[in-house]
Amino acid sequence: MTDINRRIVLASRPHGEPSPAHFRMEETRAPTPKAGDVLLRNRFLSLDPYMRGRMSAAKSYAKPVEIGETMVGGTVSEVVASQNPDFPEGTLVAGFGGWQDLWVSNGAGLRRLDPEAAPLSTALGILGMPGMTAYTGLLNIGRPKPGETVVVAAAAGPVGSLVGQIAKLKGARAVGIAGGPDKCAYLVDELGFDEAVDHRGADLPGALAEACPNGIDVYFENVGGAVFEAVLPLLNDFARIPVCGLVSGYNLTDLPPGPDRSPLLMRAVLTKRLHIQGFIVWDFAEQEAAFLGEVGTWLRDGRVKHREDIVEGLDKAPGAFIGLLKGRNFGKMLVRIS
Amino acid sequence: MTDINRRIVLASRPHGEPSPAHFRMEETRAPTPKAGDVLLRNRFLSLDPYMRGRMSAAKSYAKPVEIGETMVGGTVSEVVASQNPDFPEGTLVAGFGGWQDLWVSNGAGLRRLDPEAAPLSTALGILGMPGMTAYTGLLNIGRPKPGETVVVAAAAGPVGSLVGQIAKLKGARAVGIAGGPDKCAYLVDELGFDEAVDHRGADLPGALAEACPNGIDVYFENVGGAVFEAVLPLLNDFARIPVCGLVSGYNLTDLPPGPDRSPLLMRAVLTKRLHIQGFIVWDFAEQEAAFLGEVGTWLRDGRVKHREDIVEGLDKAPGAFIGLLKGRNFGKMLVRIS
């Protein structure tokens, strides 16, 4: 055990795309647990698109990271010193430890992990926040019925890939939108999606229309922008749109040029009786046990699959995160911290 | 009884605002009821904003009126000749008879009216389609809770005025947006709204913010455009937006100039976890009996009030309808057909 904690702090706020210069690695003295506390060493750090929002000062559902503060993020950690009998040394936990080696917790918000039940890293992906986002958003807002068509963008990512697989388990048709032929092949060949559409192709609206001959009943929104514009004309009456993320817009510094298309959107809402609803996973916090039980069983039974994209070393986190916002990852983006 | 039926047909499709030239009065031979039919003479014709949509060829939730066809619309009528024992001569019914004197029905879709229970014209207003629109949209999608703030635009109209009054009955705060000081005074002094905001005032966003110190939990959308833009920044987390109409946009021929504000709307949906849902009244057709029972009781008990704006004579229908789209009516717009 060392006395040094490496951490990555927000060095400055990006205007547009973040660059490595917006982050800074610091070394500080490791924190000391007080009575009731545990000292945790991070093994895995989760990188997720929502973190772009925390880098901005704009009001959102969570407060921003301040300049000089450690970047926030979900972690899998091991208890390396304990003054809390609930979490003895050696306990493995999922928590929210941020972009660093070591942190102190009083135990609140820690979830004990059993490495025999599932690989530890799944607690940050298919059995963690992204998986629960897919599960709760699709089942509470999307509510796919057998025979309906469910479209999800960023479909090779940890949220989208589970959305499509759950849609299939519920008897719906799953159409995934992803960037590039490898991801599209993975969706159909590995995960059992009915169709995959490459958003980098020449004619996204045409390709999507071809993949959805009966229109779209559920559109799980992760990205916004051009993908949403291609989806809108294909939506059926009474379509449901869980709005989980808008990653295509997170780096925008100005609104797109005119005309103002918002009246088109509202007119579609009215005439098609659309149901558009934003959510974040913790709006459904009371469903965590149901999620872990059901998706955990599916995962053990091989009824759902997942894929991880792991970089080695905390110092790789900024670059991996910048790539994530551009869709360069292929699977759940994780940092293994050695 | 006469052999002549006067009817108003769609003469041509408007591009932008309708004018009298888009309508034509015709006289034709009265239709003859066959076995099982009734001949109906209209007493009241309802004029409603949705009719603007029927004048356009654009796809919507109902098929357009064809050129040369009688304009559609809800009516209160009397059976003047009957070959249907369920509806003997003299029966008063609500139906969908359109802009004309006489029409034939086989009885399907006719609702018998009791003139002792409520004035006949209410079957087209507070106890008809507009009232049921307010009731079902507010209670199924808006779901106001005690202490919440409900905002409704076109608040002096038949839908908006009932939305605000039901919000009050459910323990919420009601804020109405209407055009001009007379309508605003009516909302507060007669209907018991907590606040009224004149959308013709110099600073709608500022006035609305002042009227909603705790933000907006339910926005019942009738109008769109500048009113919606003033509402959006005031919406609280988890606000519900039943989208019933967008009357400010019905005559638009082009999208408004840029920038494209739709990303702002979607970002608000995500960060505030908004629930936006379009509906038309017949999506909740199974709630008609509950609506008639509950609002009928409130009306008889004086717990809800209503107001009518009646023009005399079928030939006045086009002018009254054109004025309705500009908010010139004050109360439920009706044509008395003599």
Side-chain angles (χ1 to χ4, degrees):
Chain A
M1 191 182 146
T2 171
D3 281 322
I4 298 297
N5 179 37
R6 296 175 307 155
R7 65 181 188 191
I8 296 176
V9 302
L10 181 65
S12 57
R13 299 203 186 281
H15 179 74
E17 278 185 27
S19 77
H22 296 109
F23 302 93
R24 185 174 64 240
M25 172 83 88
E26 291 183 351
E27 298 198 351
T28 61
R29 183 182 295 270
T32 311
K34 294 193 286 279
D37 285 349
V38 292
L39 180 67
L40 294 149
R41 174 171 291 281
N42 288 334
R43 289 202 186 174
F44 288 100
L45 165 67
S46 178
L47 295 178
D48 301 279
Y50 75 82
M51 294 165 171
R52 177 63 186 83
R54 299 294 194 286
M55 298 177 76
S56 295
K59 188 178 179 306
S60 184
Y61 46 78
K63 71 177 190 56
V65 175
E66 298 299 330
I67 304 290
E69 274 189 355
T70 305
M71 284 291 296
V72 294
T75 48
V76 165
S77 323
E78 180 182 346
V79 175
V80 291
S82 177
Q83 300 201 40
N84 182 326
D86 292 342
F87 297 96
E89 216 177 295
T91 307
L92 295 161
V93 296
F96 208 66
W99 299 27
Q100 60 188 339
D101 289 319
L102 292 161
W103 58 297
V104 161
S105 164
N106 65 5
L110 297 186
R111 178 163 66 86
R112 216 177 306 262
L113 299 177
D114 174 4
E116 306 295 312
L120 287 177
S121 58
T122 59
L124 300 174
I126 190 166
L127 295 181
M129 183 275 284
M132 185 161 156
T133 298
Y135 178 89
T136 56
L138 183 65
L139 298 183
N140 290 278
I141 302 172
R143 297 190 300 274
K145 292 190 270 286
E148 289 191 332
T149 297
V150 175
V151 171
V152 61
V159 177
S161 64
L162 190 58
V163 165
Q165 292 180 88
I166 296 177
K168 291 297 295 176
L169 288 171
K170 298 293 174 185
R173 218 168 149 269
V175 176
I177 302 172
D182 290 354
K183 289 180 181 176
C184 286
Y186 167 71
L187 294 178
V188 174
D189 300 341
E190 298 289 320
L191 302 187
F193 280 57
D194 296 280
E195 299 271 354
V197 175
D198 186 347
H199 67 76
R200 297 182 190 153
D203 176 21
L204 174 61
L208 189 61
E210 206 168 302
C212 303
N214 300 316
I216 298 173
D217 301 292
V218 179
Y219 173 56
F220 193 102
E221 174 65 294
N222 284 320
V223 302
V227 172
F228 186 58
E229 280 186 35
V231 163
L232 194 60
L234 301 176
L235 290 169
N236 290 329
D237 285 359
F238 304 106
R240 287 81 65 198
I241 305 174
V243 180
C244 165
L246 297 163
V247 68
S248 77
Y250 291 169
N251 287 335
L252 285 185
T253 53
D254 293 303
L255 288 172
D260 180 3
R261 302 171 65 82
S262 44
L264 279 186
L265 173 56
M266 292 303 285
R267 185 178 153 76
V269 167
L270 177 61
T271 61
K272 297 184 178 185
R273 279 69 69 75
L274 303 180
H275 174 166
I276 301 181
Q277 188 174 342
F279 75 102
I280 63 167
V281 61
W282 304 122
D283 298 340
F284 301 106
E286 80 289 353
Q287 297 177 23
E288 187 173 24
F291 153 69
L292 287 172
E294 193 159 32
V295 180
T297 302
W298 289 336
L299 185 63
R300 275 191 299 279
D301 296 350
R303 302 186 73 189
V304 295
K305 297 177 183 175
H306 72 122
R307 181 180 173 119
E308 296 174 338
D309 189 338
I310 303 182
V311 296
E312 303 285 339
L314 182 60
D315 56 310
K316 299 292 194 308
F321 175 68
I322 290 165
L324 171 73
L325 294 178
K326 296 176 176 169
R328 291 203 186 127
N329 60 307
F330 188 173
K332 171 61 198 147
M333 190 80 239
L334 295 169
V335 180
R336 195 191 325 261
I337 302 178
S338 41
Chain B
M1 192 182 146
T2 171
D3 281 323
I4 299 297
N5 179 37
R6 296 176 307 155
R7 65 181 188 191
I8 295 176
V9 302
L10 181 64
S12 57
R13 299 202 185 281
H15 179 75
E17 279 185 25
S19 78
H22 296 109
F23 303 92
R24 185 174 64 239
M25 171 83 88
E26 291 182 351
E27 298 199 350
T28 61
R29 184 181 294 269
T32 311
K34 294 194 286 281
D37 285 350
V38 291
L39 180 67
L40 295 149
R41 174 171 290 282
N42 288 335
R43 290 201 184 174
F44 288 101
L45 165 67
S46 178
L47 296 177
D48 301 278
Y50 76 83
M51 294 165 171
R52 177 64 185 82
R54 298 295 193 287
M55 299 177 76
S56 295
K59 187 176 180 306
S60 185
Y61 46 77
K63 70 178 189 59
V65 175
E66 298 299 332
I67 304 291
E69 275 188 356
T70 306
M71 284 290 297
V72 294
T75 49
V76 165
S77 323
E78 181 181 346
V79 176
V80 291
S82 178
Q83 300 201 40
N84 182 326
D86 291 343
F87 297 97
E89 216 178 293
T91 307
L92 296 161
V93 296
F96 208 67
W99 298 29
Q100 58 188 340
D101 289 320
L102 293 160
W103 58 296
V104 161
S105 165
N106 66 4
L110 297 185
R111 178 163 66 88
R112 217 177 304 264
L113 299 177
D114 174 5
E116 306 295 312
L120 288 178
S121 59
T122 59
L124 300 174
I126 190 166
L127 296 180
M129 183 275 286
M132 185 162 155
T133 299
Y135 178 89
T136 56
L138 183 65
L139 297 184
N140 289 278
I141 303 172
R143 298 190 301 276
K145 293 191 270 286
E148 288 191 331
T149 297
V150 175
V151 172
V152 61
V159 177
S161 64
L162 190 57
V163 165
Q165 291 179 90
I166 296 177
K168 291 298 294 176
L169 288 171
K170 298 293 174 185
R173 217 167 150 269
V175 176
I177 302 172
D182 290 354
K183 289 180 181 175
C184 287
Y186 167 70
L187 294 178
V188 174
D189 299 343
E190 297 291 319
L191 302 187
F193 280 56
D194 296 280
E195 299 272 352
V197 174
D198 186 347
H199 67 76
R200 297 181 190 153
D203 176 22
L204 174 60
L208 188 61
E210 206 167 302
C212 303
N214 300 317
I216 299 173
D217 301 292
V218 179
Y219 173 57
F220 193 101
E221 174 63 294
N222 285 321
V223 303
V227 172
F228 186 59
E229 280 186 33
V231 164
L232 194 60
L234 300 175
L235 290 169
N236 290 329
D237 285 358
F238 304 106
R240 286 82 65 197
I241 305 174
V243 180
C244 165
L246 296 163
V247 69
S248 76
Y250 291 170
N251 288 335
L252 285 185
T253 54
D254 293 302
L255 289 172
D260 180 3
R261 300 170 66 82
S262 43
L264 279 186
L265 173 55
M266 292 302 285
R267 185 178 152 77
V269 167
L270 176 62
T271 59
K272 295 182 177 185
R273 278 71 65 77
L274 304 180
H275 174 166
I276 301 181
Q277 188 173 343
F279 75 103
I280 63 167
V281 62
W282 304 122
D283 298 339
F284 301 106
E286 81 288 353
Q287 297 177 20
E288 187 172 23
F291 154 68
L292 287 171
E294 193 160 31
V295 179
T297 302
W298 289 337
L299 185 63
R300 277 191 299 281
D301 295 350
R303 301 187 73 188
V304 293
K305 297 178 182 174
H306 72 122
R307 180 180 175 121
E308 295 173 339
D309 189 338
I310 303 182
V311 296
E312 304 284 340
L314 183 61
D315 57 309
K316 298 292 195 306
F321 175 69
I322 291 164
L324 170 72
L325 294 178
K326 297 176 176 168
R328 290 203 187 125
N329 60 307
F330 189 173
K332 171 62 199 147
M333 191 79 239
L334 295 168
V335 180
R336 196 190 325 261
I337 303 177
S338 41

